[in-house]
Each structure stands twice: as C-alpha cells, then as structure tokens.
Amino acid sequence: MTHLLVKAIIVIAGGSLQGMGMGLFLFPHFIPSGGAGGIAVLLTYWFHLNTGLALWLVNASMLLLAVKYLGKRVAVWTVIGITMTSVSILFFEQTFIITDRNLLLDFFCGSLLLGTGIGLLMRQGVSNGGVGVIALIVSHKRSISPGQPLFWINCCVFIFTAAVIDWKIILLALGSQWISTRMVNLICQLDFYQSYTISWRRK
C-alpha cells in the first residue's frame, strides 16, 4: 500500500512538472514538447482549443491504440499521468499571465521541467503518452527499437508544425528535445527512491 501511494505521488508530480514546463514556458511560444505536443499546438492554433485539453485528447486517443501493448495497469497509470499533465497545463496557462517573456529563458526552463517530469514518469514504468505509443506499436510490428520510429514521427510533426506556424519552431523543438532527453537520462540514472520499472527483454 505504501509503495502504491509513493508511486501515485511520483506520477502526479511527474505529470505536473511536465505540464508546468509545457504550459508555463514552452506552449506560449508554440514550441512543441514532442509529437503529441506538436499536434496539440496545431489544434490550439487552428481551433483555439485550450492547450491542456488538446494535449489530453491527443494522448488519450493514441493511448487507446496501444493499450494491448502496454497492458491495462500501465495504461491506467499513463492516463493518470497525462491527465495530471493536462490539468497542470490548464492551471499554469490560466493562473500565470506573463507579459514580458524571454524566449531563451522560457526555452531552457521549459525543457528542464519537461525532462524532469518525463523522467519521473519513466522511472515508475509509466508512459507519458504521445506519439511514443505509436512508435511502440511500430516497433512491435517490425521488431525494431521504438527510438527509430519515434524520431521520424516527431520530426514529421515538427516540420509540419513549423511549416504551418513558424520555421524557427523546428530548431526550438529539436533543441528542447535534446535538453529534455538529457534530463530524462539523468533522472532515470539517479538512485534516490525505489522505482517501479518495466523489464525489457533483449531479443
């Protein structure tokens, strides 16, 4: 029971930090946090949806495609994580109105918080949703690492988002991905609490 409570707290914290990075720092500049973030930014740009709601809809729809690959338990935790992320985005977007923004400062702060949040989720064996579930399906079907399809899917989304909104977005998006990935690796390597992780078999 204690382990379950600790996991719930960490998943909520991870989703909240991820949402803070997106809603408070990245999304105001239309910087996509990933493939799902890029699609959410496009939905917001086109239909004026709340970004948190748009991201939840994208994540939820993609998660449904991959439930049988992730398993029901992981899927439930993932729904909790992406819901907390969306709620956090909504909270920070509506609560903190920053008029004098600094692009570079927001870029670095948002990327660091994004990576920290994703790292906490991954240490618990929880997917942060997004196009990662599609990459996972492709990797299962073609027996390849999920990193390869994830990279190309994200790149396609970034390029399309940049073409629609602004070409500088692709540079910012790739830079944000690099920083957040470094943070994910750092968080996953630290040994400061008992983590619950998915065991991967080497073929």
Side-chain angles (χ1 to χ4, degrees), residues 127-164:
S127 168
N128 67 316
V131 298
V133 295
I134 297 181
L136 187 60
I137 294 174
V138 173
S139 71
H140 276 271
K141 293 290 186 181
R142 307 188 69 173
S143 298
I144 59 176
S145 169
Q148 184 178 351
L150 180 62
F151 173 79
W152 289 111
I153 293 170
N154 279 337
C155 282
C156 289
V157 173
F158 290 159
I159 291 172
F160 186 66
T161 304
V164 171

Short mmCIF file of all heavy atoms in Angstrom, two decimals, residues 127-164:
data_model
loop_
_atom_site.label_atom_id
_atom_site.label_comp_id
_atom_site.label_asym_id
_atom_site.label_seq_id
_atom_site.Cartn_x
_atom_site.Cartn_y
_atom_site.Cartn_z
N SER A 127 4.22 5.43 -19.18
CA SER A 127 4.39 6.18 -20.42
C SER A 127 3.84 7.59 -20.24
O SER A 127 2.84 7.79 -19.54
CB SER A 127 3.67 5.48 -21.57
OG SER A 127 3.59 6.32 -22.70
N ASN A 128 4.48 8.56 -20.87
CA ASN A 128 3.95 9.92 -20.84
C ASN A 128 2.99 10.17 -22.00
O ASN A 128 2.63 11.30 -22.29
CB ASN A 128 5.08 10.96 -20.86
CG ASN A 128 5.85 10.96 -22.16
OD1 ASN A 128 6.18 9.91 -22.70
ND2 ASN A 128 6.15 12.13 -22.67
N GLY A 129 2.56 9.08 -22.64
CA GLY A 129 1.59 9.20 -23.73
C GLY A 129 2.25 9.68 -25.00
O GLY A 129 3.42 9.42 -25.26
N GLY A 130 1.48 10.40 -25.81
CA GLY A 130 2.03 10.98 -27.03
C GLY A 130 2.24 9.96 -28.13
O GLY A 130 1.78 8.83 -28.08
N VAL A 131 3.01 10.38 -29.13
CA VAL A 131 3.26 9.52 -30.28
C VAL A 131 4.19 8.37 -29.93
O VAL A 131 4.42 7.48 -30.76
CB VAL A 131 3.85 10.33 -31.46
CG1 VAL A 131 2.87 11.39 -31.93
CG2 VAL A 131 5.18 10.96 -31.08
N GLY A 132 4.69 8.37 -28.70
CA GLY A 132 5.52 7.25 -28.26
C GLY A 132 4.77 5.93 -28.31
O GLY A 132 5.36 4.88 -28.57
N VAL A 133 3.45 5.97 -28.10
CA VAL A 133 2.69 4.73 -28.16
C VAL A 133 2.59 4.23 -29.60
O VAL A 133 2.57 3.03 -29.86
CB VAL A 133 1.28 4.92 -27.55
CG1 VAL A 133 1.37 5.21 -26.07
CG2 VAL A 133 0.50 6.01 -28.26
N ILE A 134 2.54 5.16 -30.57
CA ILE A 134 2.54 4.74 -31.97
C ILE A 134 3.90 4.14 -32.33
O ILE A 134 3.97 3.12 -33.03
CB ILE A 134 2.22 5.94 -32.88
CG1 ILE A 134 0.81 6.47 -32.61
CG2 ILE A 134 2.34 5.54 -34.35
CD1 ILE A 134 0.41 7.64 -33.47
N ALA A 135 4.96 4.78 -31.84
CA ALA A 135 6.30 4.25 -32.08
C ALA A 135 6.44 2.85 -31.49
O ALA A 135 7.09 1.97 -32.06
CB ALA A 135 7.35 5.18 -31.49
N LEU A 136 5.81 2.64 -30.33
CA LEU A 136 5.86 1.33 -29.69
C LEU A 136 5.14 0.28 -30.53
O LEU A 136 5.62 -0.85 -30.68
CB LEU A 136 5.22 1.42 -28.30
CG LEU A 136 5.33 0.18 -27.42
CD1 LEU A 136 6.78 -0.18 -27.15
CD2 LEU A 136 4.58 0.38 -26.12
N ILE A 137 4.00 0.64 -31.09
CA ILE A 137 3.26 -0.28 -31.96
C ILE A 137 4.10 -0.64 -33.19
O ILE A 137 4.20 -1.81 -33.57
CB ILE A 137 1.92 0.34 -32.40
CG1 ILE A 137 1.00 0.52 -31.20
CG2 ILE A 137 1.25 -0.52 -33.47
CD1 ILE A 137 -0.29 1.26 -31.52
N VAL A 138 4.72 0.36 -33.81
CA VAL A 138 5.57 0.12 -34.99
C VAL A 138 6.73 -0.79 -34.63
O VAL A 138 7.08 -1.71 -35.38
CB VAL A 138 6.08 1.45 -35.56
CG1 VAL A 138 7.09 1.20 -36.69
CG2 VAL A 138 4.93 2.31 -36.08
N SER A 139 7.32 -0.55 -33.47
CA SER A 139 8.48 -1.36 -33.06
C SER A 139 8.08 -2.82 -32.84
O SER A 139 8.85 -3.73 -33.15
CB SER A 139 9.12 -0.79 -31.79
OG SER A 139 8.30 -1.00 -30.65
N HIS A 140 6.87 -3.04 -32.32
CA HIS A 140 6.39 -4.41 -32.13
C HIS A 140 6.10 -5.08 -33.46
O HIS A 140 6.43 -6.26 -33.65
CB HIS A 140 5.12 -4.40 -31.27
CG HIS A 140 5.39 -4.37 -29.80
ND1 HIS A 140 5.55 -5.50 -29.05
CD2 HIS A 140 5.54 -3.32 -28.95
CE1 HIS A 140 5.77 -5.17 -27.79
NE2 HIS A 140 5.77 -3.84 -27.71
N LYS A 141 5.52 -4.33 -34.37
CA LYS A 141 5.15 -4.90 -35.66
C LYS A 141 6.37 -5.23 -36.51
O LYS A 141 6.40 -6.23 -37.22
CB LYS A 141 4.25 -3.92 -36.43
CG LYS A 141 2.88 -3.70 -35.81
CD LYS A 141 2.00 -4.92 -35.94
CE LYS A 141 0.58 -4.64 -35.46
NZ LYS A 141 -0.29 -5.85 -35.57
N ARG A 142 7.40 -4.37 -36.43
CA ARG A 142 8.57 -4.52 -37.31
C ARG A 142 9.81 -5.01 -36.58
O ARG A 142 10.88 -5.12 -37.18
CB ARG A 142 8.86 -3.19 -38.01
CG ARG A 142 7.64 -2.61 -38.71
CD ARG A 142 7.96 -1.41 -39.54
NE ARG A 142 8.76 -1.76 -40.71
CZ ARG A 142 9.07 -0.92 -41.69
NH1 ARG A 142 8.64 0.33 -41.63
NH2 ARG A 142 9.79 -1.30 -42.70
N SER A 143 9.66 -5.30 -35.29
CA SER A 143 10.77 -5.82 -34.48
C SER A 143 12.00 -4.91 -34.52
O SER A 143 13.12 -5.35 -34.76
CB SER A 143 11.15 -7.23 -34.94
OG SER A 143 10.07 -8.11 -34.77
N ILE A 144 11.77 -3.62 -34.31
CA ILE A 144 12.86 -2.65 -34.27
C ILE A 144 12.75 -1.86 -32.98
O ILE A 144 11.74 -1.91 -32.28
CB ILE A 144 12.83 -1.69 -35.47
CG1 ILE A 144 11.51 -0.91 -35.52
CG2 ILE A 144 13.06 -2.45 -36.77
CD1 ILE A 144 11.45 0.12 -36.63
N SER A 145 13.80 -1.11 -32.67
CA SER A 145 13.78 -0.26 -31.49
C SER A 145 12.74 0.84 -31.67
O SER A 145 12.61 1.41 -32.75
CB SER A 145 15.16 0.36 -31.27
OG SER A 145 15.10 1.37 -30.29
N PRO A 146 11.99 1.19 -30.59
CA PRO A 146 10.99 2.26 -30.72
C PRO A 146 11.60 3.64 -30.94
O PRO A 146 10.92 4.56 -31.37
CB PRO A 146 10.23 2.20 -29.39
CG PRO A 146 11.16 1.53 -28.44
CD PRO A 146 11.95 0.56 -29.26
N GLY A 147 12.90 3.79 -30.65
CA GLY A 147 13.54 5.08 -30.81
C GLY A 147 13.54 5.56 -32.25
O GLY A 147 13.38 6.75 -32.52
N GLN A 148 13.73 4.62 -33.20
CA GLN A 148 13.81 5.00 -34.61
C GLN A 148 12.48 5.54 -35.14
O GLN A 148 12.44 6.65 -35.70
CB GLN A 148 14.27 3.80 -35.45
CG GLN A 148 14.46 4.12 -36.92
CD GLN A 148 14.97 2.92 -37.71
OE1 GLN A 148 15.34 1.91 -37.12
NE2 GLN A 148 14.98 3.02 -39.02
N PRO A 149 11.35 4.82 -34.99
CA PRO A 149 10.09 5.39 -35.46
C PRO A 149 9.69 6.64 -34.68
O PRO A 149 9.09 7.56 -35.25
CB PRO A 149 9.07 4.26 -35.25
CG PRO A 149 9.71 3.34 -34.29
CD PRO A 149 11.18 3.44 -34.52
N LEU A 150 10.02 6.70 -33.38
CA LEU A 150 9.68 7.87 -32.58
C LEU A 150 10.39 9.11 -33.12
O LEU A 150 9.78 10.18 -33.23
CB LEU A 150 10.08 7.64 -31.12
CG LEU A 150 9.78 8.80 -30.16
CD1 LEU A 150 8.29 9.07 -30.10
CD2 LEU A 150 10.33 8.48 -28.77
N PHE A 151 11.66 8.95 -33.48
CA PHE A 151 12.43 10.06 -34.01
C PHE A 151 11.80 10.59 -35.29
O PHE A 151 11.59 11.80 -35.46
CB PHE A 151 13.88 9.63 -34.27
CG PHE A 151 14.70 10.67 -34.97
CD1 PHE A 151 15.24 11.74 -34.28
CD2 PHE A 151 14.94 10.58 -36.34
CE1 PHE A 151 16.00 12.70 -34.92
CE2 PHE A 151 15.71 11.54 -36.99
CZ PHE A 151 16.24 12.60 -36.28
N TRP A 152 11.46 9.69 -36.22
CA TRP A 152 10.92 10.12 -37.51
C TRP A 152 9.51 10.69 -37.38
O TRP A 152 9.15 11.66 -38.08
CB TRP A 152 10.94 8.97 -38.50
CG TRP A 152 12.33 8.63 -38.95
CD1 TRP A 152 13.04 7.50 -38.65
CD2 TRP A 152 13.19 9.44 -39.75
NE1 TRP A 152 14.29 7.55 -39.21
CE2 TRP A 152 14.42 8.74 -39.89
CE3 TRP A 152 13.05 10.68 -40.35
CZ2 TRP A 152 15.48 9.25 -40.61
CZ3 TRP A 152 14.12 11.20 -41.07
CH2 TRP A 152 15.31 10.48 -41.20
N ILE A 153 8.69 10.12 -36.49
CA ILE A 153 7.35 10.65 -36.28
C ILE A 153 7.43 12.06 -35.71
O ILE A 153 6.74 12.99 -36.18
CB ILE A 153 6.53 9.74 -35.34
CG1 ILE A 153 6.25 8.39 -36.01
CG2 ILE A 153 5.20 10.41 -34.96
CD1 ILE A 153 5.66 7.35 -35.07
N ASN A 154 8.28 12.24 -34.69
CA ASN A 154 8.44 13.57 -34.09
C ASN A 154 8.95 14.58 -35.12
O ASN A 154 8.48 15.72 -35.16
CB ASN A 154 9.40 13.51 -32.90
CG ASN A 154 8.72 13.03 -31.63
OD1 ASN A 154 7.51 13.13 -31.49
ND2 ASN A 154 9.49 12.50 -30.71
N CYS A 155 9.92 14.17 -35.93
CA CYS A 155 10.47 15.07 -36.95
C CYS A 155 9.40 15.50 -37.94
O CYS A 155 9.32 16.68 -38.32
CB CYS A 155 11.63 14.40 -37.69
SG CYS A 155 13.18 14.38 -36.77
N CYS A 156 8.57 14.56 -38.38
CA CYS A 156 7.49 14.89 -39.32
C CYS A 156 6.51 15.88 -38.70
O CYS A 156 6.09 16.85 -39.37
CB CYS A 156 6.76 13.62 -39.75
SG CYS A 156 7.72 12.54 -40.84
N VAL A 157 6.16 15.65 -37.43
CA VAL A 157 5.24 16.56 -36.75
C VAL A 157 5.87 17.93 -36.59
O VAL A 157 5.22 18.97 -36.81
CB VAL A 157 4.82 15.99 -35.38
CG1 VAL A 157 3.99 17.02 -34.61
CG2 VAL A 157 4.02 14.71 -35.54
N PHE A 158 7.16 17.97 -36.20
CA PHE A 158 7.86 19.24 -36.02
C PHE A 158 7.90 20.03 -37.33
O PHE A 158 7.68 21.24 -37.36
CB PHE A 158 9.28 19.01 -35.51
CG PHE A 158 9.34 18.52 -34.09
CD1 PHE A 158 10.47 17.86 -33.63
CD2 PHE A 158 8.29 18.72 -33.22
CE1 PHE A 158 10.54 17.41 -32.32
CE2 PHE A 158 8.34 18.27 -31.91
CZ PHE A 158 9.47 17.62 -31.46
N ILE A 159 8.24 19.35 -38.43
CA ILE A 159 8.34 20.01 -39.73
C ILE A 159 6.99 20.58 -40.15
O ILE A 159 6.88 21.71 -40.62
CB ILE A 159 8.88 19.04 -40.79
CG1 ILE A 159 10.36 18.71 -40.50
CG2 ILE A 159 8.74 19.63 -42.19
CD1 ILE A 159 10.92 17.61 -41.38
N PHE A 160 5.94 19.78 -39.96
CA PHE A 160 4.60 20.24 -40.34
C PHE A 160 4.16 21.41 -39.48
O PHE A 160 3.60 22.39 -39.99
CB PHE A 160 3.60 19.09 -40.21
CG PHE A 160 2.23 19.43 -40.73
CD1 PHE A 160 2.01 19.67 -42.07
CD2 PHE A 160 1.15 19.52 -39.86
CE1 PHE A 160 0.76 19.99 -42.55
CE2 PHE A 160 -0.11 19.84 -40.33
CZ PHE A 160 -0.31 20.07 -41.68
N THR A 161 4.43 21.33 -38.16
CA THR A 161 4.08 22.43 -37.26
C THR A 161 4.84 23.69 -37.64
O THR A 161 4.28 24.79 -37.65
CB THR A 161 4.41 22.05 -35.80
OG1 THR A 161 3.75 20.84 -35.45
CG2 THR A 161 3.97 23.15 -34.83
N ALA A 162 6.12 23.53 -37.96
CA ALA A 162 6.93 24.68 -38.35
C ALA A 162 6.43 25.30 -39.65
O ALA A 162 6.41 26.52 -39.81
CB ALA A 162 8.39 24.26 -38.51
N ALA A 163 6.02 24.46 -40.61
CA ALA A 163 5.52 24.95 -41.89
C ALA A 163 4.23 25.75 -41.70
O ALA A 163 3.98 26.73 -42.40
CB ALA A 163 5.28 23.79 -42.84
N VAL A 164 3.40 25.32 -40.75
CA VAL A 164 2.13 25.99 -40.52
C VAL A 164 2.31 27.28 -39.72
O VAL A 164 1.70 28.31 -40.04
CB VAL A 164 1.16 25.05 -39.78
CG1 VAL A 164 -0.10 25.81 -39.32
CG2 VAL A 164 0.77 23.88 -40.67
#
